[in-house]
Amino acid sequence: MMVQEGQPQGRERPVRWSHVKIWSVAVISITFLSTCFIVSCVEKVWGCCPSTWKSFGSSCYFISDEEHFWSKSEQNCVRMGAHLVVLNTKAEQDFLVQQLNESLSYFLGLSDPQGNDSWQWIDQTPYTENVRLWHQGEPNFSAEECASIVFWSPRGWGWNDVFCDSKRNSICEMKKVYLS
């Protein structure tokens, strides 16, 4: 008896392409998931921000839509586990201003409590080592001991010294929560 090529002989079963496809998909999926798991275990870095906060770099930002004095704005940030924003780079400011309303002014975490041009960031970041993005001619009045970011046409966004007891919006900042 002659056996035709491609016919099963004895107990051999024919190869079904549907089984090959299923096993191929399973192997590829397991490989992909394993790779993702290994990468996440090695990096141990999944940074998260609260849902209403904006994410940039290693920080999360909350843009308040309520006006308060500088000290009350800081208290509100602290209550949320944050502080008034500390701007470290122009890129950070460029990101934030895209989220801001050009008709409003926002408190920064920058103040000059003695009014002697000794500006300090709320988180103790050295003022002299940080970016300084004051509007031209600012700061200009020693009684204005807090800083805000404000849009002035045609100059754009920049910092302005303001009275701490003026009511303004604010920006809070917290470090991202990292899950491992």
Side-chain angles (χ1 to χ4, degrees), residues 6-180:
Q7 293 284 325
Q9 296 179 13
R11 295 186 174 230
E12 290 181 27
R13 294 183 169 210
V15 174
R16 293 197 178 140
W17 286 111
S18 61
H19 288 134
V20 172
K21 287 179 186 177
I22 290 171
W23 281 107
S24 296
V25 168
V27 168
I28 290 169
S29 297
I30 290 170
T31 303
F32 176 74
L33 291 172
S34 298
T35 303
C36 290
F37 178 75
I38 290 167
V39 168
S40 69
C41 287
V42 170
E43 291 180 3
K44 292 194 179 210
V45 178
W46 280 345
C48 301
C49 291
S51 62
T52 57
W53 293 56
K54 308 290 184 195
S55 172
F56 179 81
S58 61
S59 292
C60 305
Y61 303 90
F62 179 79
I63 299 161
S64 172
D65 58 1
E66 297 178 7
E67 292 183 339
H68 294 288
F69 302 129
W70 190 89
S71 59
K72 177 68 173 167
S73 295
E74 173 61 8
Q75 288 172 6
N76 288 342
C77 291
V78 168
R79 197 169 50 247
M80 293 186 286
H83 56 74
L84 282 170
V85 67
V86 174
L87 294 172
N88 296 293
T89 65
K90 184 166 182 336
E92 182 180 19
Q93 177 168 304
D94 290 346
F95 166 78
L96 281 173
V97 298
Q98 293 173 30
Q99 326 296 321
L100 304 180
N101 182 331
E102 291 181 1
S103 65
L104 301 175
S105 174
Y106 301 83
F107 277 125
L108 302 175
L110 182 63
S111 64
D112 180 17
Q114 283 75 47
N116 60 1
D117 205 31
S118 294
W119 292 91
Q120 52 192 266
W121 289 104
I122 195 83
D123 72 346
Q124 308 307 313
T125 296
Y127 173 71
T128 55
E129 295 174 14
N130 232 16
V131 66
R132 290 184 292 273
L133 300 166
W134 294 100
H135 274 298
Q136 186 176 353
E138 301 294 336
N140 65 352
F141 186 43
S142 62
E144 294 177 321
E145 298 174 346
C146 289
S148 72
I149 186 168
V150 62
F151 184 87
W152 288 349
S153 186
R155 301 182 214 174
W157 288 97
W159 304 352
N160 180 32
D161 57 337
V162 295
F163 292 106
C164 298
D165 61 357
S166 59
K167 287 192 167 187
R168 301 178 186 280
N169 294 72
S170 59
I171 306 166
C172 299
E173 177 182 9
M174 72 166 65
K175 293 297 177 194
K176 283 184 180 173
V177 175
Y178 287 97
L179 306 174
S180 55

